[in-house]
Amino acid sequence: VIKEKLFRLREYWREKLFQAFPEKEASILCAMLLGDKSGVDSEIKELYQKNGIVHILSISGLHITLIGMSLYRLLRRTGCPVIIAAILGGVTLGLYGAMTGMGVSSIRAIGMYLIRMIGEILGRTYDMLTSLGIMALIMLAVRPEYLNNGGFLLSFGSICGIGLVLPRLEGESERNPVKKVILPGLSITLFTLPIQLNLFYEIPVYSIFLNLLVLPFMGTVMAVGMAVMVIPGIQWVGLLNVLIVRG
């Protein structure tokens, strides 16, 4: 019953996206937000792959962070107790993950969210790399073959880039707006570059620069797309996504 409800909800949101956006942009947003790549033109997939940005068409940890933490913080601001807010956020993420196919990145991100929420409930400080290590151990204990899974390696590599490379690039200097936009994407790209070379034996040199341009806008694209799906009468906001996706 739950799977059927989630399927109908995904189809409803898919219809909302196609009503709000031109066909090309709507199909890309369906892949990004709902895990449905059936409508994405093969030429677009090939273009994204050749340019090293095909990962934006997949459900990633960014979705989970945006949904889970936004909901948790919203509930906390309304006075909701920590444990209730954490549970509601976790249930929402679990349902969203199931609706979008529960890929490797989704499992990793949902698990890290739950570990963070356990820390919030117990009053403990959250450490991202410790959380990442716990999820790696759990997932590999269940399915050791993940060690040869490209999605697993790239997902965990991206977080390692944020946790290990980003602090070194930032150094001791104050984070200015330019650093805040560029350095996270650069950190992910630098750490995952050897993984991509090992998996695919090639990488477009300009993909590094394309990712630096694309990644800072992904949060905005997803936030606007989700708002259009769930809030009636704001389809006009989708114009921003059209401009970004076409750009």
Side-chain angles (χ1 to χ4, degrees):
V1 174
I2 294 176
K3 287 183 178 180
E4 177 65 22
K5 295 292 184 182
L6 290 175
F7 174 77
R8 291 184 180 182
L9 180 61
R10 188 174 77 163
E11 290 301 299
Y12 170 75
W13 279 344
R14 184 177 186 277
E15 184 179 343
K16 293 276 286 185
L17 288 174
F18 273 90
Q19 289 174 353
F21 300 99
E23 184 176 353
K24 175 183 174 182
E25 286 74 20
S27 64
I28 292 174
L29 288 170
C30 280
M32 291 175 58
L33 300 174
L34 302 175
D36 180 8
K37 300 180 184 178
S38 60
V40 181
D41 187 81
S42 58
E43 292 184 3
I44 294 178
K45 287 183 182 178
E46 186 178 356
L47 179 65
Y48 278 42
Q49 187 168 356
K50 285 184 176 179
N51 287 287
I53 56 173
V54 72
H55 55 84
I56 70 172
L57 297 178
S58 303
I59 302 296
S60 69
L62 182 58
H63 300 64
I64 306 303
T65 302
L66 180 65
I67 296 171
M69 292 311 299
S70 297
L71 178 58
Y72 173 76
R73 287 168 181 159
L74 177 62
L75 291 172
R76 291 292 292 137
R77 286 177 182 174
T78 59
C80 185
V82 173
I83 189 168
I84 301 298
I87 291 173
L88 289 176
V91 170
T92 301
L93 289 183
L95 293 173
Y96 178 74
M99 183 181 69
T100 56
M102 198 61 82
V104 172
S105 294
S106 297
I107 297 172
R108 189 267 306 158
I110 292 173
M112 290 181 68
Y113 168 85
L114 294 176
I115 292 171
R116 181 168 187 166
M117 290 302 102
I118 291 172
E120 292 281 343
I121 293 170
L122 298 178
R124 301 294 297 271
T125 302
Y126 174 75
D127 181 73
M128 182 177 66
L129 292 176
T130 300
S131 174
L132 185 70
I134 292 172
M135 283 310 302
L137 287 173
I138 292 173
M139 293 176 68
L140 290 173
V142 176
R143 297 189 63 177
E145 66 269 21
Y146 275 150
L147 273 178
N148 296 317
N149 183 288
F152 177 90
L153 296 174
L154 290 172
S155 178
F156 278 81
S158 297
I159 305 302
C160 284
I162 294 293
L164 297 174
V165 180
L166 181 58
R168 273 68 179 177
L169 294 180
E170 289 178 339
E172 300 297 327
S173 60
E174 184 180 349
R175 286 185 73 180
N176 56 50
V178 176
K179 282 188 174 184
K180 189 175 181 180
V181 171
I182 293 178
L183 291 187
L186 180 60
S187 302
I188 293 172
T189 302
L190 290 175
F191 197 93
T192 57
L193 181 61
I195 299 173
Q196 293 185 56
L197 288 172
N198 183 61
L199 291 172
F200 309 117
Y201 305 105
E202 63 177 4
I203 185 170
V205 177
Y206 46 82
S207 70
I208 298 175
F209 305 102
L210 286 177
N211 276 287
L212 292 179
L213 294 174
V214 169
L215 291 177
F217 293 103
M218 287 301 98
T220 300
V221 170
M222 288 186 290
V224 171
M226 290 177 179
V228 169
M229 287 193 302
V230 301
I231 303 176
I234 64 166
Q235 282 80 0
W236 56 272
V237 178
L239 177 62
L240 179 61
N241 271 10
V242 174
L243 295 175
I244 294 175
V245 173
R246 287 185 178 178

